[in-house]
Short mmCIF file of all heavy atoms in Angstrom, two decimals:
data_model
loop_
_atom_site.label_atom_id
_atom_site.label_comp_id
_atom_site.label_asym_id
_atom_site.label_seq_id
_atom_site.Cartn_x
_atom_site.Cartn_y
_atom_site.Cartn_z
N TYR A 52 14.41 0.18 10.27
CA TYR A 52 14.85 1.44 9.66
C TYR A 52 13.82 2.57 9.72
O TYR A 52 14.16 3.71 9.44
CB TYR A 52 15.26 1.21 8.20
CG TYR A 52 16.53 0.41 8.09
CD1 TYR A 52 16.50 -0.96 7.98
CD2 TYR A 52 17.77 1.05 8.13
CE1 TYR A 52 17.67 -1.70 7.92
CE2 TYR A 52 18.95 0.32 8.06
CZ TYR A 52 18.89 -1.06 7.95
OH TYR A 52 20.05 -1.77 7.90
N CYS A 53 12.58 2.28 10.02
CA CYS A 53 11.56 3.33 9.96
C CYS A 53 10.88 3.58 11.31
O CYS A 53 10.45 4.69 11.59
CB CYS A 53 10.49 2.99 8.93
SG CYS A 53 11.15 2.32 7.39
N ALA A 55 11.90 3.90 14.18
CA ALA A 55 12.52 4.85 15.10
C ALA A 55 11.75 6.16 15.06
O ALA A 55 11.70 6.90 16.04
CB ALA A 55 13.97 5.07 14.71
N CYS A 56 11.14 6.46 13.92
CA CYS A 56 10.41 7.73 13.78
C CYS A 56 8.93 7.54 13.43
O CYS A 56 8.10 8.35 13.84
CB CYS A 56 11.04 8.59 12.70
SG CYS A 56 12.76 8.99 13.00
N HIS A 57 8.62 6.52 12.64
CA HIS A 57 7.24 6.37 12.15
C HIS A 57 6.47 5.27 12.88
O HIS A 57 7.04 4.27 13.29
CB HIS A 57 7.24 5.99 10.66
CG HIS A 57 7.76 7.06 9.77
ND1 HIS A 57 7.04 8.19 9.46
CD2 HIS A 57 8.94 7.16 9.09
CE1 HIS A 57 7.76 8.94 8.63
NE2 HIS A 57 8.91 8.35 8.39
N MET A 97 9.89 6.56 19.00
CA MET A 97 10.28 7.96 19.27
C MET A 97 9.31 8.61 20.26
O MET A 97 8.10 8.43 20.15
CB MET A 97 10.24 8.72 17.94
CG MET A 97 10.53 10.18 18.05
SD MET A 97 12.16 10.56 17.51
CE MET A 97 11.97 10.71 15.76
N SER A 102 10.89 14.34 17.11
CA SER A 102 11.14 14.52 15.68
C SER A 102 11.07 16.00 15.30
O SER A 102 11.91 16.52 14.57
CB SER A 102 10.12 13.71 14.87
OG SER A 102 10.33 13.91 13.51
N LEU A 106 14.40 17.25 13.93
CA LEU A 106 14.40 17.31 12.46
C LEU A 106 13.61 18.51 11.92
O LEU A 106 13.63 18.78 10.74
CB LEU A 106 13.80 16.02 11.89
CG LEU A 106 14.52 14.72 12.27
CD1 LEU A 106 13.72 13.51 11.84
CD2 LEU A 106 15.91 14.68 11.62
N SER A 108 10.37 18.68 11.88
CA SER A 108 9.06 18.28 11.36
C SER A 108 8.64 16.96 12.01
O SER A 108 9.50 16.14 12.34
CB SER A 108 9.16 18.10 9.84
OG SER A 108 7.94 17.64 9.34
N ASP A 109 7.33 16.77 12.22
CA ASP A 109 6.87 15.50 12.76
C ASP A 109 6.98 14.43 11.69
O ASP A 109 6.74 14.70 10.51
CB ASP A 109 5.41 15.61 13.22
CG ASP A 109 5.29 16.44 14.48
OD1 ASP A 109 6.19 16.33 15.33
OD2 ASP A 109 4.32 17.22 14.61
N ALA A 110 7.32 13.21 12.12
CA ALA A 110 7.31 12.10 11.16
C ALA A 110 5.88 11.58 11.11
O ALA A 110 5.34 11.15 12.13
CB ALA A 110 8.27 11.01 11.64
N PRO A 111 5.22 11.61 9.93
CA PRO A 111 3.81 11.24 9.88
C PRO A 111 3.59 9.75 10.13
O PRO A 111 4.49 8.95 9.89
CB PRO A 111 3.42 11.59 8.44
CG PRO A 111 4.69 11.55 7.67
CD PRO A 111 5.77 11.96 8.62
N LEU A 113 2.45 6.22 9.11
CA LEU A 113 2.50 5.71 7.73
C LEU A 113 1.38 4.71 7.40
O LEU A 113 1.38 4.12 6.33
CB LEU A 113 3.86 5.09 7.44
CG LEU A 113 5.06 6.05 7.45
CD1 LEU A 113 6.34 5.33 7.04
CD2 LEU A 113 4.84 7.26 6.53
N MET A 116 -0.26 6.00 4.33
CA MET A 116 0.58 6.75 3.39
C MET A 116 0.53 6.15 1.98
O MET A 116 0.49 6.87 0.98
CB MET A 116 2.02 6.81 3.91
CG MET A 116 2.91 7.79 3.20
SD MET A 116 2.28 9.49 3.20
CE MET A 116 2.85 10.11 4.78
N LYS A 120 -0.55 8.42 -1.13
CA LYS A 120 0.40 8.84 -2.16
C LYS A 120 0.65 7.80 -3.23
O LYS A 120 1.25 8.10 -4.25
CB LYS A 120 1.72 9.23 -1.49
CG LYS A 120 1.55 10.38 -0.50
CD LYS A 120 2.68 11.34 -0.63
CE LYS A 120 2.33 12.70 -0.11
NZ LYS A 120 3.44 13.63 -0.23
N TYR A 124 4.85 6.08 -5.56
CA TYR A 124 5.46 7.25 -4.95
C TYR A 124 6.43 6.83 -3.84
O TYR A 124 7.55 7.32 -3.75
CB TYR A 124 4.41 8.22 -4.39
CG TYR A 124 5.04 9.35 -3.62
CD1 TYR A 124 5.55 10.46 -4.28
CD2 TYR A 124 5.21 9.27 -2.23
CE1 TYR A 124 6.19 11.47 -3.59
CE2 TYR A 124 5.84 10.28 -1.53
CZ TYR A 124 6.32 11.38 -2.21
OH TYR A 124 6.97 12.38 -1.53
N ILE A 125 5.98 5.92 -2.97
CA ILE A 125 6.82 5.52 -1.84
C ILE A 125 8.11 4.88 -2.35
O ILE A 125 9.22 5.18 -1.88
CB ILE A 125 6.06 4.56 -0.92
CG1 ILE A 125 4.88 5.32 -0.37
CG2 ILE A 125 6.96 3.99 0.18
CD1 ILE A 125 4.25 4.79 0.84
N PHE A 128 10.21 7.62 -3.82
CA PHE A 128 10.72 8.46 -2.72
C PHE A 128 11.94 7.81 -2.06
O PHE A 128 12.96 8.46 -1.84
CB PHE A 128 9.58 8.68 -1.72
CG PHE A 128 9.96 9.39 -0.45
CD1 PHE A 128 10.36 10.71 -0.47
CD2 PHE A 128 9.88 8.73 0.78
CE1 PHE A 128 10.70 11.37 0.72
CE2 PHE A 128 10.21 9.38 1.96
CZ PHE A 128 10.62 10.70 1.93
N LEU A 129 11.84 6.51 -1.79
CA LEU A 129 12.95 5.82 -1.11
C LEU A 129 14.18 5.71 -2.00
O LEU A 129 15.27 5.45 -1.53
CB LEU A 129 12.50 4.42 -0.66
CG LEU A 129 11.44 4.38 0.44
CD1 LEU A 129 11.03 2.94 0.74
CD2 LEU A 129 11.95 5.05 1.71
N LEU A 145 10.66 14.74 -2.78
CA LEU A 145 10.14 15.66 -1.76
C LEU A 145 11.29 16.61 -1.40
O LEU A 145 12.01 16.40 -0.42
CB LEU A 145 9.67 14.86 -0.53
CG LEU A 145 8.89 15.62 0.52
CD1 LEU A 145 7.54 16.08 -0.02
CD2 LEU A 145 8.66 14.75 1.76
N GLY A 147 13.83 19.23 -0.13
CA GLY A 147 14.01 19.86 1.17
C GLY A 147 13.38 19.07 2.31
O GLY A 147 13.07 19.62 3.36
N THR A 148 13.18 17.76 2.12
CA THR A 148 12.50 16.98 3.15
C THR A 148 13.27 16.97 4.48
O THR A 148 14.51 17.04 4.49
CB THR A 148 12.27 15.52 2.68
OG1 THR A 148 11.61 14.81 3.72
CG2 THR A 148 13.59 14.82 2.38
N ALA A 149 12.50 16.86 5.55
CA ALA A 149 13.10 16.79 6.88
C ALA A 149 13.57 15.37 7.20
O ALA A 149 14.26 15.16 8.19
CB ALA A 149 12.08 17.25 7.92
N MET A 150 13.18 14.41 6.35
CA MET A 150 13.57 13.02 6.65
C MET A 150 14.97 12.73 6.14
O MET A 150 15.27 12.94 4.98
CB MET A 150 12.57 12.05 6.00
CG MET A 150 12.97 10.60 6.18
SD MET A 150 11.67 9.48 5.71
CE MET A 150 12.60 8.22 4.86
N PRO A 151 15.84 12.26 7.05
CA PRO A 151 17.20 11.91 6.61
C PRO A 151 17.18 10.70 5.68
O PRO A 151 16.20 9.97 5.64
CB PRO A 151 17.94 11.59 7.91
CG PRO A 151 16.96 11.69 9.01
CD PRO A 151 15.62 11.98 8.47
N VAL A 153 17.69 7.49 5.55
CA VAL A 153 17.94 6.44 6.55
C VAL A 153 18.43 5.13 5.93
O VAL A 153 18.96 4.28 6.62
CB VAL A 153 16.67 6.17 7.39
CG1 VAL A 153 16.34 7.36 8.25
CG2 VAL A 153 15.50 5.77 6.51
N LEU A 154 18.23 4.95 4.63
CA LEU A 154 18.66 3.70 4.00
C LEU A 154 20.04 3.83 3.36
O LEU A 154 20.46 2.95 2.61
CB LEU A 154 17.62 3.26 2.95
CG LEU A 154 16.23 2.94 3.51
CD1 LEU A 154 15.26 2.62 2.39
CD2 LEU A 154 16.29 1.77 4.49
N ILE A 173 9.84 -2.77 1.33
CA ILE A 173 9.27 -1.80 2.28
C ILE A 173 7.96 -1.24 1.71
O ILE A 173 6.95 -1.13 2.41
CB ILE A 173 10.27 -0.66 2.59
CG1 ILE A 173 11.51 -1.22 3.28
CG2 ILE A 173 9.62 0.41 3.46
CD1 ILE A 173 12.60 -0.19 3.51
N LEU A 177 4.17 -1.42 3.28
CA LEU A 177 3.34 -0.23 3.54
C LEU A 177 2.04 -0.30 2.73
O LEU A 177 0.99 0.17 3.19
CB LEU A 177 4.11 1.05 3.23
CG LEU A 177 5.23 1.38 4.22
CD1 LEU A 177 5.94 2.66 3.81
CD2 LEU A 177 4.69 1.51 5.65
C1 HEC B 1 14.95 9.89 11.70
C2 HEC B 1 13.52 9.81 11.60
C3 HEC B 1 12.95 9.11 10.39
C4 HEC B 1 13.17 7.80 9.99
C5 HEC B 1 14.09 6.77 10.66
C6 HEC B 1 12.33 7.57 8.84
N1 HEC B 1 11.63 8.71 8.55
FE1 HEC B 1 10.24 8.91 7.07
N2 HEC B 1 9.92 10.82 7.63
C7 HEC B 1 10.54 11.48 8.68
C8 HEC B 1 10.09 12.85 8.73
C9 HEC B 1 10.54 13.90 9.75
C10 HEC B 1 9.15 12.99 7.68
C11 HEC B 1 8.43 14.28 7.26
C12 HEC B 1 9.24 14.79 6.11
C13 HEC B 1 8.84 16.12 5.60
O1 HEC B 1 7.68 16.50 5.76
O2 HEC B 1 9.71 16.77 4.98
C14 HEC B 1 9.06 11.71 7.02
C15 HEC B 1 8.24 11.45 5.93
C16 HEC B 1 8.09 10.21 5.33
C17 HEC B 1 7.18 9.92 4.25
C18 HEC B 1 6.20 10.89 3.62
C19 HEC B 1 6.82 11.59 2.47
C20 HEC B 1 5.90 12.58 1.85
O3 HEC B 1 5.88 12.70 0.64
O4 HEC B 1 5.17 13.29 2.59
C21 HEC B 1 7.34 8.61 3.92
C22 HEC B 1 6.63 7.83 2.84
C23 HEC B 1 8.36 8.08 4.79
N3 HEC B 1 8.79 9.08 5.64
C24 HEC B 1 8.80 6.78 4.77
C25 HEC B 1 9.80 6.30 5.58
C26 HEC B 1 10.30 4.94 5.50
C27 HEC B 1 9.76 3.88 4.56
C28 HEC B 1 11.28 4.84 6.43
C29 HEC B 1 12.13 3.63 6.70
C30 HEC B 1 12.91 3.14 5.60
C31 HEC B 1 11.39 6.13 7.11
N4 HEC B 1 10.49 6.98 6.56
C32 HEC B 1 12.28 6.40 8.14
C33 HEC B 1 11.45 10.94 9.56
C34 HEC B 1 11.96 9.66 9.49
#
Side-chain angles (χ1 to χ4, degrees):
Y52 290 92
C53 318
C56 301
H57 294 285
M97 176 103 84
S102 178
L106 301 170
S108 177
D109 288 323
L113 294 184
M116 192 56 84
K120 300 221 158 179
Y124 174 82
I125 297 199
F128 173 66
L129 293 177
L145 190 67
T148 180
M150 176 168 139
V153 293
L154 297 176
I173 296 175
L177 289 179

